[in-house]
Amino acid sequence: MSQTHSTGQGAKSGGPANAAASGNVVKRLQSELMTLMTQPTAGISAFPAGSDMTKWNATIAGPADTPYANLTLKLTLSYPSNYPYAPPEVLFKSPIYHPNVDFAGRICLDILKPGGAGKEGAWSAVLNTQTVLLSIQSLLGEPNNASPLNGEAALLWDSDKSEFKRKVDARHLEPAEIEDDA
Amino acid sequence: MAAAVSTAYDIFASVFPPKQFTKPTPETTPQIGSFSSPGESFGGFNSPHGSGTAQDAVHLERAWSAATRYLSCSNPPDDRQDARPSREVQDAFFLLCGNAAALEKLATWCANDLDAHVRDSVLPKLNFWQHPIPLSTATEAIAETVRVLSTTQDTFLTRPFALSRLGSGALEVFYHQVRQSFLASALHSIPQQRMQKTLACAFHQCMVQSMEHNDPDICKDRGLCSCPVNLGPDLDNLYQVGLGGDLAERAFAHAMHKFLQRSAIDRTCFRLEWGTEQASVVQKLRFWVASVLVPFIENTLKKLSANPSLKLSDSDKYQFQQIAVGSLGRSRTANLFDYVKKWPDTKGALLDIKDCMASSTNEKSYICNSFVQQVSTRLLHAGASTTEILSIYTAVIYSFRLLDSRGVMLEKVSGPIRAYLRTRDDTVSIIAASFLADVDAEGNVLATDPTKVCADITIEVSRSSLEDTRDHRVTDWNDMLWTPDPIDAGPDYKASRSEDVMAYILGLFDPEDFIKEVTTVLAQHLLQATDPEYVKETRLTELFKSRLDATKLQAAEVMLKDVRDSVSLNRRINPSARFETASAELPKPKEIMAAIPEDGITAHGLYALFEYRMKPAQFTAAVNLVASKRGELYFPKRTRLPQEAVRDEPTKEGALSYKVQVLSGFFWPQMRSNDFALPQQFAEMDEAFGERFSRLGNQRKLHFRKALARVTVELELEDRRVRETDVPAWRASVINTFADHEAGTILTAEQLMTTLGMEEELVADALGFWSGKRVLFQPTPGTYAVLESLDMDTGPPQPDVQPQADAVSAMMSQDAMLRESAPMFETFIKGMLRDGGPKEIGGFMGITNMLKMVLPTFTYGDDEVKLLLNEMVTRGEVVRNGETWAVAG
């Protein structure tokens, strides 16, 4: 759902200004990276994945006092050419058992959907990579069970916390294991 | 059939002579009437067709006998008179002449007879030919041979010669046959090859010797060379003794070849003309060959072949000119590197080479190859300094543009030099420094460190124009001067009309690298510049903008604007600043002229540069003096302005003069940021300035770079005054600390470091500096005190410590920058490895490349990354696994 919106937005602002826009994206991302590096937030980190500055890898440490404590979760971020006027596309790369994350790693979070008048999403240009990752980190401890992508997980979260924890652990892979798969 | 048989027999006989020749028949034993075997008893002629009747046979027999007796060499005649044939002999020969077979027989007999005598009396005299002839005696050997041959020839051939005078054609033929066989038997013993070589050598020696007597001054006065050549008398009658003909012609050709290669060219008349007013000598050489050498060759060949009608064709003459010009070109090319090095004094040599090139097509590649080889053996090695290579590079550009205006040859020869220059680390910085060095009125370069500045480039910059010379050829469809690329151009040949030395030098490097380096040097220069209008720096920036990508020079422009703004800023908010310097005076017309760009400027734009300093009316008057107006724009006039008197700046006394430069940190190269305590007064002034600056209401934050400050220090000591201008602030701080203490205080370096919060490096530099100036001295090693009067110091005078460049430079060195930024780089590396998984250092997706991509300030290579990684490994932050690195834990 969120994908269709973001494509629409991209098409609107694309065109002749695209090259300049992507130059601005790179500049913005560079400054975000600088902030992330110079003022790091514990439990969160992100870095460009390769020569393309608009594709990043991120790492979130599972928050303490949640079923995800002590787990390291990998994500990928992909920034559209009109970023920060459209949200980045964020996916979990580590397999995760969570009410708001489907089995392909897609995340249901309002700030990851395009915002503005007439839109259901809550993305805003003042948000950045750091805030997005922090929101996702807090989503781990406080799922939005009202609109689950994984109904079973939503039910278990409310009913059986220990079974939930077991399913989380069963599904989780450490980053090193993901690397081996790849 | 019979003829065929006889021919075959002759061939066989020529190899294995079967005949037993008789001695001349004794007169007293005539055996008349032996018909059964006519002539057999004498072994004479036995042709069955020769004798018709017995009477004829007898007559022939008698004639033969008389002839052989006359011709026999056993009793050679004493003189020509003696050799005159008697009546009887004459009759005998006339009779024999009637019988061709008999005459031929007689010739054979004669040859055999001569052969025996030659072997006995001539060959021993020519024995020296059996051994190789030394070059030095070649002429003598030939002369001796000629002498021996001509005397013996005289002796042995007098009689046949006398016969040939009798007026019978057959006898003349007979004489030539006999002569041929004599020469054949005499010369047969001399090795032909050796003879030819020796002859060639002798010819050459004679020609060279004959040239030595010529007086080059005569030619010089006439402006033409007409030095004669000759072979000398010794070799005149070669043909007469059988040494002419093909052998001699071949030898002469060899000699002439050698002569043209060296001796003919390498003479005072065709010597290289030095100095700036030179012309090619090729014309002179062509004239000499045509008017002197070719007639000489013609005459010599006539003599050697005894053919008086021999004539050289025009194409032969042209050929000789070409050979001479070609060898001149070769001999010049062999020293081409020296000529290029001495440019422009050797223009003559280059013009010679150019003329030679015009005469032959494959000469070009020979010259290029030869020069490239000379350069690689003589220049492109560790022994040559970069400034030297650069200055030769500029000379190469000039020289080869003269040789080939289309630049094809230059393209070929400059390749190796360019490639080599790129491998030198200091090339870019030397070029950048050379661009900014000062040139005085006489064209001498004023450089602080001559090893860091290439004077040729500096002079070039001062000459070059601000024209936009970038290549527009491809897109300029209206270019009526367009020509196709030369056929011998390489694939990377770029046709360009106005490539000058600047373009070649700027093209040496990647523009980005170059701009970066130039920015650093420019920053250093701007900080030290005293000219408040920064005319020179402005001009240079404009120059770069016209040559390189203007958008990439943003930093340089910002830097210029910063220092200019600082001047007015100081005036506005720094009450203690004084402007007795040029900025307060009226701008000189020269300055205005310098400020007008080549492509014109509007009056308003120009006045904006000077509005602080002059009224509009004054300005208009000055502009009209130096600029011409076309349309809305002003252009600089091409006239020279009268020299202006240089005025000394008045020295300032009393209150402290204080000036601040506000720079935009983002656009300037990273600068020295050492922190230390300034003398109280300075610190207060900094504070006051900072406060006023913030009141101006702009958003900029002011951060004082104390290490960059420069101070004029005046010290009053007991017996003298010391004045030092442009002293770095740390030195002032150190000496001020001594002033703050009471007289005679002894301080150590450590004490100073703690008092001032200054780094050891700077303290050491300051102490060294003041000790060198004999302001401080060491009462005991390691401690310092003020040397109030010179007689206090009993120790040996200390050498004037030259401050290390690194300690003084306002810009941080690469290494220091790496050190300072290391924590940030390490954070990035950690982030990269954590989020991107383990990585190698090199490669497209390696750590170095990733860092460069995400962090534009990271300008280091794999080595530095490895250094950082190893440090991180020792701290346990990173682990190494083979070639890959990963975050620990």
Side-chain angles (χ1 to χ4, degrees), chain A residues 143-180:
Chain A
N144 180 5
N145 285 334
S147 63
L149 279 176
N150 182 344
E152 184 201 49
L155 288 176
L156 276 181
W157 178 275
D158 291 328
S159 56
D160 190 349
K161 269 288 175 67
S162 63
E163 176 64 9
F164 187 91
K165 168 75 180 156
R166 198 189 59 77
K167 291 226 172 194
V168 165
D169 287 346
R171 182 148 172 72
H172 182 73
L173 284 175
E174 273 300 300
E177 298 170 291
I178 304 175
E179 297 292 331
D180 291 343

mmCIF file of all heavy atoms in Angstrom, chain A residues 143-180:
data_model
loop_
_atom_site.group_PDB
_atom_site.id
_atom_site.type_symbol
_atom_site.label_atom_id
_atom_site.label_comp_id
_atom_site.label_asym_id
_atom_site.label_seq_id
_atom_site.Cartn_x
_atom_site.Cartn_y
_atom_site.Cartn_z
ATOM 1 N N PRO A 143 4.066 -2.763 19.716
ATOM 2 C CA PRO A 143 3.429 -2.984 18.401
ATOM 3 C C PRO A 143 2.041 -2.346 18.357
ATOM 4 O O PRO A 143 1.405 -2.170 19.391
ATOM 5 C CB PRO A 143 3.349 -4.503 18.309
ATOM 6 C CG PRO A 143 3.433 -4.999 19.692
ATOM 7 C CD PRO A 143 4.234 -4.008 20.483
ATOM 8 N N ASN A 144 1.657 -1.999 17.131
ATOM 9 C CA ASN A 144 0.320 -1.455 16.936
ATOM 10 C C ASN A 144 -0.595 -2.607 16.557
ATOM 11 O O ASN A 144 -0.740 -2.962 15.401
ATOM 12 C CB ASN A 144 0.377 -0.398 15.831
ATOM 13 C CG ASN A 144 -0.985 0.209 15.570
ATOM 14 O OD1 ASN A 144 -1.960 -0.095 16.271
ATOM 15 N ND2 ASN A 144 -1.060 1.043 14.549
ATOM 16 N N ASN A 145 -1.204 -3.201 17.580
ATOM 17 C CA ASN A 145 -1.981 -4.411 17.336
ATOM 18 C C ASN A 145 -3.335 -4.132 16.715
ATOM 19 O O ASN A 145 -4.049 -5.037 16.332
ATOM 20 C CB ASN A 145 -2.158 -5.188 18.641
ATOM 21 C CG ASN A 145 -0.859 -5.880 19.006
ATOM 22 O OD1 ASN A 145 -0.049 -6.182 18.124
ATOM 23 N ND2 ASN A 145 -0.638 -6.090 20.301
ATOM 24 N N ALA A 146 -3.643 -2.843 16.545
ATOM 25 C CA ALA A 146 -4.921 -2.527 15.931
ATOM 26 C C ALA A 146 -4.911 -2.812 14.437
ATOM 27 O O ALA A 146 -5.928 -3.155 13.866
ATOM 28 C CB ALA A 146 -5.269 -1.050 16.190
ATOM 29 N N SER A 147 -3.738 -2.641 13.781
ATOM 30 C CA SER A 147 -3.687 -2.942 12.338
ATOM 31 C C SER A 147 -2.502 -3.842 12.047
ATOM 32 O O SER A 147 -1.480 -3.392 11.543
ATOM 33 C CB SER A 147 -3.597 -1.649 11.529
ATOM 34 O OG SER A 147 -2.397 -0.979 11.843
ATOM 35 N N PRO A 148 -2.660 -5.130 12.422
ATOM 36 C CA PRO A 148 -1.509 -6.020 12.284
ATOM 37 C C PRO A 148 -1.329 -6.501 10.845
ATOM 38 O O PRO A 148 -2.312 -6.614 10.101
ATOM 39 C CB PRO A 148 -1.864 -7.190 13.183
ATOM 40 C CG PRO A 148 -3.351 -7.224 13.207
ATOM 41 C CD PRO A 148 -3.840 -5.831 12.961
ATOM 42 N N LEU A 149 -0.083 -6.748 10.499
ATOM 43 C CA LEU A 149 0.208 -7.448 9.251
ATOM 44 C C LEU A 149 0.308 -8.939 9.525
ATOM 45 O O LEU A 149 0.130 -9.765 8.666
ATOM 46 C CB LEU A 149 1.548 -6.963 8.673
ATOM 47 C CG LEU A 149 1.542 -5.673 7.888
ATOM 48 C CD1 LEU A 149 2.960 -5.312 7.475
ATOM 49 C CD2 LEU A 149 0.657 -5.777 6.659
ATOM 50 N N ASN A 150 0.678 -9.260 10.733
ATOM 51 C CA ASN A 150 0.823 -10.647 11.159
ATOM 52 C C ASN A 150 -0.183 -10.869 12.280
ATOM 53 O O ASN A 150 0.066 -10.548 13.445
ATOM 54 C CB ASN A 150 2.259 -10.860 11.631
ATOM 55 C CG ASN A 150 2.521 -12.302 12.042
ATOM 56 O OD1 ASN A 150 1.581 -13.063 12.252
ATOM 57 N ND2 ASN A 150 3.781 -12.647 12.164
ATOM 58 N N GLY A 151 -1.374 -11.348 11.906
ATOM 59 C CA GLY A 151 -2.479 -11.473 12.865
ATOM 60 C C GLY A 151 -2.141 -12.395 14.028
ATOM 61 O O GLY A 151 -2.424 -12.083 15.189
ATOM 62 N N GLU A 152 -1.475 -13.491 13.709
ATOM 63 C CA GLU A 152 -1.132 -14.467 14.749
ATOM 64 C C GLU A 152 -0.255 -13.822 15.810
ATOM 65 O O GLU A 152 -0.480 -13.957 17.002
ATOM 66 C CB GLU A 152 -0.413 -15.650 14.117
ATOM 67 C CG GLU A 152 -0.108 -16.754 15.102
ATOM 68 C CD GLU A 152 1.025 -17.657 14.606
ATOM 69 O OE1 GLU A 152 2.095 -17.125 14.183
ATOM 70 O OE2 GLU A 152 0.873 -18.860 14.637
ATOM 71 N N ALA A 153 0.745 -13.041 15.326
ATOM 72 C CA ALA A 153 1.643 -12.395 16.259
ATOM 73 C C ALA A 153 0.891 -11.403 17.135
ATOM 74 O O ALA A 153 1.137 -11.304 18.344
ATOM 75 C CB ALA A 153 2.757 -11.669 15.485
ATOM 76 N N ALA A 154 -0.067 -10.669 16.524
ATOM 77 C CA ALA A 154 -0.837 -9.710 17.301
ATOM 78 C C ALA A 154 -1.610 -10.414 18.402
ATOM 79 O O ALA A 154 -1.679 -9.932 19.540
ATOM 80 C CB ALA A 154 -1.778 -8.943 16.371
ATOM 81 N N LEU A 155 -2.184 -11.555 18.051
ATOM 82 C CA LEU A 155 -2.949 -12.306 19.058
ATOM 83 C C LEU A 155 -2.038 -12.806 20.167
ATOM 84 O O LEU A 155 -2.329 -12.660 21.349
ATOM 85 C CB LEU A 155 -3.661 -13.489 18.403
ATOM 86 C CG LEU A 155 -4.864 -13.123 17.517
ATOM 87 C CD1 LEU A 155 -5.429 -14.348 16.854
ATOM 88 C CD2 LEU A 155 -5.936 -12.427 18.384
ATOM 89 N N LEU A 156 -0.910 -13.420 19.763
ATOM 90 C CA LEU A 156 -0.002 -13.993 20.756
ATOM 91 C C LEU A 156 0.557 -12.916 21.682
ATOM 92 O O LEU A 156 0.782 -13.145 22.850
ATOM 93 C CB LEU A 156 1.158 -14.710 20.060
ATOM 94 C CG LEU A 156 0.895 -16.152 19.622
ATOM 95 C CD1 LEU A 156 2.134 -16.734 18.977
ATOM 96 C CD2 LEU A 156 0.477 -17.017 20.812
ATOM 97 N N TRP A 157 0.898 -11.732 21.091
ATOM 98 C CA TRP A 157 1.457 -10.627 21.904
ATOM 99 C C TRP A 157 0.555 -10.361 23.087
ATOM 100 O O TRP A 157 1.009 -10.178 24.208
ATOM 101 C CB TRP A 157 1.594 -9.383 21.029
ATOM 102 C CG TRP A 157 2.109 -8.185 21.776
ATOM 103 C CD1 TRP A 157 1.350 -7.295 22.503
ATOM 104 C CD2 TRP A 157 3.456 -7.782 21.919
ATOM 105 N NE1 TRP A 157 2.133 -6.351 23.078
ATOM 106 C CE2 TRP A 157 3.466 -6.619 22.725
ATOM 107 C CE3 TRP A 157 4.684 -8.281 21.443
ATOM 108 C CZ2 TRP A 157 4.641 -5.944 23.064
ATOM 109 C CZ3 TRP A 157 5.811 -7.582 21.794
ATOM 110 C CH2 TRP A 157 5.800 -6.441 22.580
ATOM 111 N N ASP A 158 -0.761 -10.355 22.796
ATOM 112 C CA ASP A 158 -1.701 -10.036 23.873
ATOM 113 C C ASP A 158 -1.948 -11.224 24.776
ATOM 114 O O ASP A 158 -2.131 -11.055 25.976
ATOM 115 C CB ASP A 158 -3.032 -9.561 23.283
ATOM 116 C CG ASP A 158 -2.855 -8.195 22.622
ATOM 117 O OD1 ASP A 158 -1.995 -7.409 23.117
ATOM 118 O OD2 ASP A 158 -3.535 -7.915 21.602
ATOM 119 N N SER A 159 -1.912 -12.461 24.206
ATOM 120 C CA SER A 159 -2.339 -13.610 25.004
ATOM 121 C C SER A 159 -1.166 -14.362 25.644
ATOM 122 O O SER A 159 -1.153 -14.572 26.851
ATOM 123 C CB SER A 159 -3.159 -14.567 24.131
ATOM 124 O OG SER A 159 -2.377 -14.929 22.996
ATOM 125 N N ASP A 160 -0.179 -14.723 24.854
ATOM 126 C CA ASP A 160 0.855 -15.614 25.390
ATOM 127 C C ASP A 160 2.246 -15.050 25.101
ATOM 128 O O ASP A 160 2.840 -15.306 24.046
ATOM 129 C CB ASP A 160 0.693 -16.999 24.737
ATOM 130 C CG ASP A 160 1.585 -18.043 25.417
ATOM 131 O OD1 ASP A 160 2.461 -17.634 26.232
ATOM 132 O OD2 ASP A 160 1.418 -19.231 25.113
ATOM 133 N N LYS A 161 2.770 -14.284 26.023
ATOM 134 C CA LYS A 161 4.057 -13.619 25.809
ATOM 135 C C LYS A 161 5.214 -14.617 25.659
ATOM 136 O O LYS A 161 6.127 -14.402 24.873
ATOM 137 C CB LYS A 161 4.357 -12.648 26.983
ATOM 138 C CG LYS A 161 3.843 -11.238 26.739
ATOM 139 C CD LYS A 161 4.660 -10.506 25.698
ATOM 140 C CE LYS A 161 4.107 -9.142 25.328
ATOM 141 N NZ LYS A 161 4.164 -8.125 26.394
ATOM 142 N N SER A 162 5.134 -15.729 26.422
ATOM 143 C CA SER A 162 6.272 -16.664 26.371
ATOM 144 C C SER A 162 6.294 -17.403 25.044
ATOM 145 O O SER A 162 7.351 -17.642 24.452
ATOM 146 C CB SER A 162 6.224 -17.646 27.536
ATOM 147 O OG SER A 162 5.035 -18.426 27.421
ATOM 148 N N GLU A 163 5.076 -17.761 24.517
ATOM 149 C CA GLU A 163 5.023 -18.388 23.193
ATOM 150 C C GLU A 163 5.501 -17.407 22.127
ATOM 151 O O GLU A 163 6.214 -17.766 21.188
ATOM 152 C CB GLU A 163 3.561 -18.810 22.919
ATOM 153 C CG GLU A 163 3.314 -19.386 21.527
ATOM 154 C CD GLU A 163 4.071 -20.691 21.264
ATOM 155 O OE1 GLU A 163 4.663 -21.252 22.204
ATOM 156 O OE2 GLU A 163 4.089 -21.143 20.087
ATOM 157 N N PHE A 164 5.124 -16.129 22.311
ATOM 158 C CA PHE A 164 5.572 -15.089 21.383
ATOM 159 C C PHE A 164 7.093 -15.031 21.347
ATOM 160 O O PHE A 164 7.719 -15.045 20.297
ATOM 161 C CB PHE A 164 4.980 -13.733 21.836
ATOM 162 C CG PHE A 164 5.254 -12.615 20.851
ATOM 163 C CD1 PHE A 164 4.357 -12.331 19.831
ATOM 164 C CD2 PHE A 164 6.401 -11.843 20.952
ATOM 165 C CE1 PHE A 164 4.611 -11.308 18.940
ATOM 166 C CE2 PHE A 164 6.663 -10.828 20.054
ATOM 167 C CZ PHE A 164 5.749 -10.561 19.037
ATOM 168 N N LYS A 165 7.682 -15.008 22.541
ATOM 169 C CA LYS A 165 9.147 -14.939 22.647
ATOM 170 C C LYS A 165 9.806 -16.141 21.965
ATOM 171 O O LYS A 165 10.802 -16.025 21.276
ATOM 172 C CB LYS A 165 9.517 -14.860 24.145
ATOM 173 C CG LYS A 165 10.989 -15.067 24.445
ATOM 174 C CD LYS A 165 11.818 -13.853 24.066
ATOM 175 C CE LYS A 165 13.290 -14.074 24.381
ATOM 176 N NZ LYS A 165 14.173 -13.250 23.569
ATOM 177 N N ARG A 166 9.125 -17.326 22.168
ATOM 178 C CA ARG A 166 9.688 -18.526 21.555
ATOM 179 C C ARG A 166 9.666 -18.410 20.024
ATOM 180 O O ARG A 166 10.616 -18.724 19.342
ATOM 181 C CB ARG A 166 8.874 -19.753 22.001
ATOM 182 C CG ARG A 166 9.586 -21.078 21.803
ATOM 183 C CD ARG A 166 8.659 -22.241 22.058
ATOM 184 N NE ARG A 166 7.490 -22.224 21.185
ATOM 185 C CZ ARG A 166 7.515 -22.584 19.901
ATOM 186 N NH1 ARG A 166 8.645 -22.965 19.347
ATOM 187 N NH2 ARG A 166 6.408 -22.550 19.170
ATOM 188 N N LYS A 167 8.536 -17.902 19.506
ATOM 189 C CA LYS A 167 8.428 -17.757 18.047
ATOM 190 C C LYS A 167 9.439 -16.741 17.526
ATOM 191 O O LYS A 167 10.019 -16.917 16.442
ATOM 192 C CB LYS A 167 6.994 -17.298 17.681
ATOM 193 C CG LYS A 167 5.964 -18.356 17.919
ATOM 194 C CD LYS A 167 5.028 -18.476 16.734
ATOM 195 C CE LYS A 167 4.108 -19.685 16.917
ATOM 196 N NZ LYS A 167 3.420 -20.025 15.678
ATOM 197 N N VAL A 168 9.634 -15.657 18.308
ATOM 198 C CA VAL A 168 10.625 -14.647 17.905
ATOM 199 C C VAL A 168 12.002 -15.297 17.794
ATOM 200 O O VAL A 168 12.690 -15.163 16.783
ATOM 201 C CB VAL A 168 10.657 -13.464 18.906
ATOM 202 C CG1 VAL A 168 11.909 -12.621 18.701
ATOM 203 C CG2 VAL A 168 9.414 -12.621 18.773
ATOM 204 N N ASP A 169 12.387 -16.033 18.819
ATOM 205 C CA ASP A 169 13.712 -16.651 18.816
ATOM 206 C C ASP A 169 13.846 -17.679 17.700
ATOM 207 O O ASP A 169 14.909 -17.805 17.079
ATOM 208 C CB ASP A 169 13.986 -17.310 20.176
ATOM 209 C CG ASP A 169 14.243 -16.258 21.232
ATOM 210 O OD1 ASP A 169 14.473 -15.075 20.823
ATOM 211 O OD2 ASP A 169 14.220 -16.565 22.430
ATOM 212 N N ALA A 170 12.752 -18.428 17.467
ATOM 213 C CA ALA A 170 12.808 -19.464 16.431
ATOM 214 C C ALA A 170 13.028 -18.835 15.063
ATOM 215 O O ALA A 170 13.697 -19.390 14.184
ATOM 216 C CB ALA A 170 11.513 -20.276 16.443
ATOM 217 N N ARG A 171 12.435 -17.679 14.874
ATOM 218 C CA ARG A 171 12.502 -17.058 13.547
ATOM 219 C C ARG A 171 13.796 -16.255 13.359
ATOM 220 O O ARG A 171 14.277 -16.087 12.228
ATOM 221 C CB ARG A 171 11.279 -16.134 13.395
ATOM 222 C CG ARG A 171 11.220 -15.474 12.035
ATOM 223 C CD ARG A 171 9.804 -15.245 11.571
ATOM 224 N NE ARG A 171 9.829 -14.431 10.356
ATOM 225 C CZ ARG A 171 10.228 -14.871 9.163
ATOM 226 N NH1 ARG A 171 10.595 -16.145 9.036
ATOM 227 N NH2 ARG A 171 10.248 -14.086 8.112
ATOM 228 N N HIS A 172 14.367 -15.825 14.476
ATOM 229 C CA HIS A 172 15.480 -14.887 14.345
ATOM 230 C C HIS A 172 16.762 -15.548 13.818
ATOM 231 O O HIS A 172 17.051 -16.692 14.105
ATOM 232 C CB HIS A 172 15.782 -14.243 15.718
ATOM 233 C CG HIS A 172 16.891 -13.241 15.641
ATOM 234 N ND1 HIS A 172 16.714 -12.009 15.064
ATOM 235 C CD2 HIS A 172 18.185 -13.287 16.044
ATOM 236 C CE1 HIS A 172 17.861 -11.351 15.119
ATOM 237 N NE2 HIS A 172 18.768 -12.118 15.725
ATOM 238 N N LEU A 173 17.473 -14.810 13.040
ATOM 239 C CA LEU A 173 18.809 -15.218 12.611
ATOM 240 C C LEU A 173 19.756 -14.083 12.953
ATOM 241 O O LEU A 173 19.421 -12.912 12.734
ATOM 242 C CB LEU A 173 18.842 -15.445 11.095
ATOM 243 C CG LEU A 173 18.210 -16.738 10.559
ATOM 244 C CD1 LEU A 173 18.231 -16.712 9.039
ATOM 245 C CD2 LEU A 173 18.926 -17.966 11.083
ATOM 246 N N GLU A 174 20.930 -14.429 13.444
ATOM 247 C CA GLU A 174 21.929 -13.390 13.716
ATOM 248 C C GLU A 174 22.537 -12.898 12.389
ATOM 249 O O GLU A 174 22.554 -13.638 11.411
ATOM 250 C CB GLU A 174 23.033 -13.935 14.639
ATOM 251 C CG GLU A 174 22.709 -13.807 16.124
ATOM 252 C CD GLU A 174 22.486 -12.374 16.577
ATOM 253 O OE1 GLU A 174 23.421 -11.559 16.435
ATOM 254 O OE2 GLU A 174 21.373 -12.050 17.063
ATOM 255 N N PRO A 175 23.013 -11.690 12.393
ATOM 256 C CA PRO A 175 23.559 -11.136 11.135
ATOM 257 C C PRO A 175 24.557 -12.060 10.456
ATOM 258 O O PRO A 175 24.530 -12.213 9.236
ATOM 259 C CB PRO A 175 24.226 -9.831 11.587
ATOM 260 C CG PRO A 175 23.484 -9.441 12.805
ATOM 261 C CD PRO A 175 23.003 -10.697 13.458
ATOM 262 N N ALA A 176 25.409 -12.703 11.258
ATOM 263 C CA ALA A 176 26.432 -13.558 10.655
ATOM 264 C C ALA A 176 25.779 -14.695 9.887
ATOM 265 O O ALA A 176 26.253 -15.091 8.815
ATOM 266 C CB ALA A 176 27.350 -14.108 11.738
ATOM 267 N N GLU A 177 24.633 -15.214 10.433
ATOM 268 C CA GLU A 177 23.959 -16.324 9.759
ATOM 269 C C GLU A 177 23.322 -15.850 8.459
ATOM 270 O O GLU A 177 23.281 -16.578 7.475
ATOM 271 C CB GLU A 177 22.889 -16.913 10.685
ATOM 272 C CG GLU A 177 23.500 -17.477 11.954
ATOM 273 C CD GLU A 177 22.435 -17.844 12.985
ATOM 274 O OE1 GLU A 177 21.806 -16.904 13.533
ATOM 275 O OE2 GLU A 177 22.240 -19.023 13.213
ATOM 276 N N ILE A 178 22.844 -14.609 8.469
ATOM 277 C CA ILE A 178 22.274 -14.091 7.225
ATOM 278 C C ILE A 178 23.347 -13.979 6.161
ATOM 279 O O ILE A 178 23.149 -14.340 5.010
ATOM 280 C CB ILE A 178 21.643 -12.689 7.458
ATOM 281 C CG1 ILE A 178 20.622 -12.759 8.566
ATOM 282 C CG2 ILE A 178 21.001 -12.188 6.181
ATOM 283 C CD1 ILE A 178 20.066 -11.410 8.934
ATOM 284 N N GLU A 179 24.499 -13.505 6.588
ATOM 285 C CA GLU A 179 25.606 -13.385 5.636
ATOM 286 C C GLU A 179 25.909 -14.726 4.997
ATOM 287 O O GLU A 179 26.131 -14.827 3.799
ATOM 288 C CB GLU A 179 26.877 -12.873 6.341
ATOM 289 C CG GLU A 179 26.766 -11.479 6.938
ATOM 290 C CD GLU A 179 26.638 -10.409 5.892
ATOM 291 O OE1 GLU A 179 27.160 -10.620 4.782
ATOM 292 O OE2 GLU A 179 26.022 -9.361 6.187
ATOM 293 N N ASP A 180 25.861 -15.802 5.865
ATOM 294 C CA ASP A 180 26.181 -17.126 5.339
ATOM 295 C C ASP A 180 25.157 -17.552 4.303
ATOM 296 O O ASP A 180 25.501 -18.199 3.310
ATOM 297 C CB ASP A 180 26.231 -18.160 6.477
ATOM 298 C CG ASP A 180 27.426 -17.894 7.376
ATOM 299 O OD1 ASP A 180 28.327 -17.161 6.918
ATOM 300 O OD2 ASP A 180 27.455 -18.393 8.501
#
